[in-house]
Amino acid sequence: MLHSTWRGLFRRTALAAALGAFAAGLSIVTPIASSAAAAGTLQQVTTFGSNPGNLAMYEYAPSGLAADAPLVVALHGCTQSASDYHAHSGWQKFADQWGFAVVYPQTSTANNSLSCFSWFDSTKNTRGTGEAASIKQMVDTAVAQYGSDRSRVFVSGLSAGGGMTADLLADYPDVFAGGAVDSGLPTQCATTQTAASGCQYSSQNLIPKQWGDKVRNSYPGYAGPWPRVAIWQGSSDTTVAPVNGTELRDQWTDVWGIGQTASSTRNLTGGTTESIYNDSTGNAAVALFSVSGMAHGLAVNPGSGADQCGSTGTYYLNYICSSYHTAKFWGLDGSGGGGTGSLPAPTGLTVTGTTGTGASLSWNAVSGATTYNVYRGGSKVGSATGTTYTDSGLSAGTSYSYTVAAVDSSGAVGASSAAVTATTTGSAPACYTANNYQQVQAGRAHQSGGYTYANGSAQNMGLYNVAVTHTLKETSAGYFVIADSGC
């Protein structure tokens, strides 16, 4: 988890064996510039900003990734690498299935002798500094590259990566809509390396408000909205004691202004207990997943089932596919997230008509439903008391994906329907592919401080030079968005 001087975790023989196991499973990655990545492969991005934290950036995007798709940042644990985490964690399966890109930051022995992220160092894990700032630059680069939806950027991490995830959620609540801390530590539990082992192995004896203040003080003056946080903790973890899961629960429920008594609890596969903590509107804000008997690591569950993922290895433990349940909690499956109700998914979702600016839907009624939530591209766009809905304000000649979920009388959201695609009538927006210099000269973008920004949307297109190429889509007169994944 931490520096090699912390005894009991990384003795040299164990480390050598672990590194050998990791090396055997690593995949080859090809360095690329920041302008584009080969779809369907893990790639290194060599230019993504000033990189004050001395990190490496890797990314994965499925073929045909739509613009305005979500973005997930996934942080490996100590002694691991980006390619190792990509190969074992299961995130690729759901990126392919539900359509989102994944960024894998990677640290090295130059930063820490065991390649741990510096969750315990306040000079590297706070807003605008070190590794935290480098990861923010990776997000900005990926969003510009893929045209990702900035309202659906998420971060997840294991162990030291989990500790850094908690810090990032507090540092940049304006960037991350949600997070998942897997066998990790609370935000700012330690601010020096010498204090880190105390956080790992024992309770800090703080009340929820004291934990919550550590988050609030990470970005003073910020008043919300706050990220939705999933917490994964093994009950037999001797590297990061189970009390860390409880402290994370206390921290983030306090930030949300809700109590520490679960709104609902259910048993999942692999001896896992899921406890959901709803916000004042009845939507899930915090989830604690306690895995009975699991030691230190990331919960995976190899197999071909819908809720299975990943492969086993050192610190990848066969209990439950945590990536699946985390993605569902965030709403990456198109449900909008937080679906804690027992109502089944609506069937028969159909596109009944389209215009140049709208799409009409219908579906079969669900017994016990009082309303239905309608989601476009995974984000809730409206609700209906009946079984029809018309979405408006759309672009002509453009395809949109829709799902629907039933809501019961208590406000609990059930499972989401299968997705349907609606394509509006009329001509599709014009698209232009050119290097950044040419885009600026054509009046579709502008440059400032050596970087190029799309006119209208102001999306960062990277450096102002001829080596960076983007596709810009003109969605309305003079308003351009990055559409590298397809127009």
Side-chain angles (χ1 to χ4, degrees), residues 71 135-145 150 175 460:
L71 176 68
I135 294 169
K136 169 61 164 55
Q137 291 175 350
M138 294 181 198
V139 169
D140 290 340
T141 298
V143 166
Q145 178 181 334
R150 280 198 175 274
V175 172
N460 189 331

Side-chain angles (χ1 to χ4, degrees), residues 148-194:
S148 306
D149 183 350
R150 280 198 175 274
S151 70
R152 292 188 293 161
V153 179
F154 305 89
V155 59
S156 174
L158 167 64
S159 193
M164 181 59 79
T165 292
D167 291 335
L168 288 166
L169 292 172
D171 295 340
Y172 297 105
D174 53 334
V175 172
F176 297 106
V181 183
D182 295 85
S183 302
L185 297 301
T187 299
Q188 296 297 322
C189 183
T191 56
T192 64
Q193 184 171 299
T194 55

Side-chain angles (χ1 to χ4, degrees), residues 96-99 152 328 331-336 345-351 361-363 373-379 399-405 415-423:
D96 290 339
Q97 181 175 327
W98 292 326
R152 292 188 293 161
K328 291 271 289 183
L332 297 183
D333 63 331
S335 68
T347 60
L349 179 61
T350 304
V351 179
L361 309 169
S362 69
W363 56 90
N373 286 347
V374 180
Y375 304 93
R376 183 206 313 140
S379 296
S399 295
Y400 297 91
S401 176
Y402 290 94
T403 56
V404 177
S416 61
S417 69
V420 297
T421 300
T423 302

Side-chain angles (χ1 to χ4, degrees), residues 195-214:
S197 59
C199 292
Q200 283 185 251
Y201 301 128
S202 60
S203 171
Q204 301 303 290
N205 299 312
L206 301 180
I207 63 174
K209 183 181 183 302
Q210 291 173 308
W211 281 119
D213 284 344
K214 290 179 179 290

Side-chain angles (χ1 to χ4, degrees), residues 40-393:
T41 60
L42 182 68
Q43 300 282 344
Q44 183 177 4
V45 177
T46 56
T47 303
F48 56 88
S50 61
N51 191 18
N54 190 36
L55 301 179
M57 176 181 176
Y58 293 80
E59 60 181 22
Y60 175 84
S63 300
L65 180 68
D68 297 322
L71 176 68
V72 172
V73 178
L75 304 174
H76 64 77
C78 296
T79 76
Q80 297 176 330
S81 67
S83 57
D84 173 66
Y85 206 64
H86 176 68
H88 286 284
S89 64
W91 279 114
Q92 178 180 347
K93 173 179 178 177
F94 303 112
D96 290 339
Q97 181 175 327
W98 292 326
F100 56 86
V102 187
V103 167
Y104 297 92
Q106 178 177 287
T107 186
S108 68
T109 55
N111 286 8
N112 177 278
S113 62
L114 292 176
S115 299
C116 304
F117 287 100
S118 301
W119 62 270
F120 47 81
D121 188 339
S122 59
T123 68
K124 299 178 181 178
N125 66 4
T126 53
R127 186 179 177 96
T129 69
E131 295 175 13
S134 289
I135 294 169
K136 169 61 164 55
Q137 291 175 350
M138 294 181 198
V139 169
D140 290 340
T141 298
V143 166
Q145 178 181 334
Y146 295 115
S148 306
D149 183 350
R150 280 198 175 274
S151 70
R152 292 188 293 161
V153 179
F154 305 89
V155 59
S156 174
L158 167 64
S159 193
M164 181 59 79
T165 292
D167 291 335
L168 288 166
L169 292 172
D171 295 340
Y172 297 105
D174 53 334
V175 172
F176 297 106
V181 183
D182 295 85
S183 302
L185 297 301
T187 299
Q188 296 297 322
C189 183
T191 56
T192 64
Q193 184 171 299
T194 55
S197 59
C199 292
Q200 283 185 251
Y201 301 128
S202 60
S203 171
Q204 301 303 290
N205 299 312
L206 301 180
I207 63 174
K209 183 181 183 302
Q210 291 173 308
W211 281 119
D213 284 344
K214 290 179 179 290
V215 173
R216 288 181 284 267
N217 292 338
S218 296
Y219 186 16
Y222 183 78
W226 295 102
R228 301 171 61 245
V229 182
I231 303 155
W232 289 85
Q233 181 64 52
S235 68
S236 298
D237 192 336
T238 58
T239 300
V240 175
V243 69
N244 284 280
T246 303
E247 290 172 338
L248 278 158
R249 184 275 314 272
D250 290 352
Q251 183 171 65
W252 286 98
T253 52
D254 182 78
V255 168
W256 274 85
I258 55 182
Q260 286 73 56
T261 300
S263 304
S264 64
T265 302
R266 62 172 176 162
N267 295 323
L268 303 176
T269 189
T272 305
T273 301
E274 175 200 68
S275 300
I276 297 292
Y277 302 82
N278 290 342
D279 64 12
S280 58
T281 65
N283 293 316
V286 178
L288 173 59
F289 298 87
S290 179
V291 187
S292 178
M294 191 176 82
H296 188 63
L298 181 74
V300 298
N301 187 208
S304 59
D307 61 350
Q308 292 182 291
C309 74
S311 58
T312 58
T314 308
Y315 302 121
Y316 301 99
L317 309 177
N318 190 1
Y319 283 86
I320 183 174
C321 174
S322 57
S323 297
Y324 169 81
H325 289 279
T326 293
K328 291 271 289 183
F329 177 71
W330 291 339
L332 297 183
D333 63 331
S335 68
T340 61
S342 59
L343 293 180
T347 60
L349 179 61
T350 304
V351 179
T352 58
T354 58
T355 65
T357 59
S360 297
L361 309 169
S362 69
W363 56 90
N364 297 327
V366 173
S367 178
T370 56
T371 59
Y372 298 88
N373 286 347
V374 180
Y375 304 93
R376 183 206 313 140
S379 296
K380 182 180 175 182
V381 293
S383 61
T385 55
T387 58
T388 61
Y389 181 83
T390 297
D391 193 19
S392 59

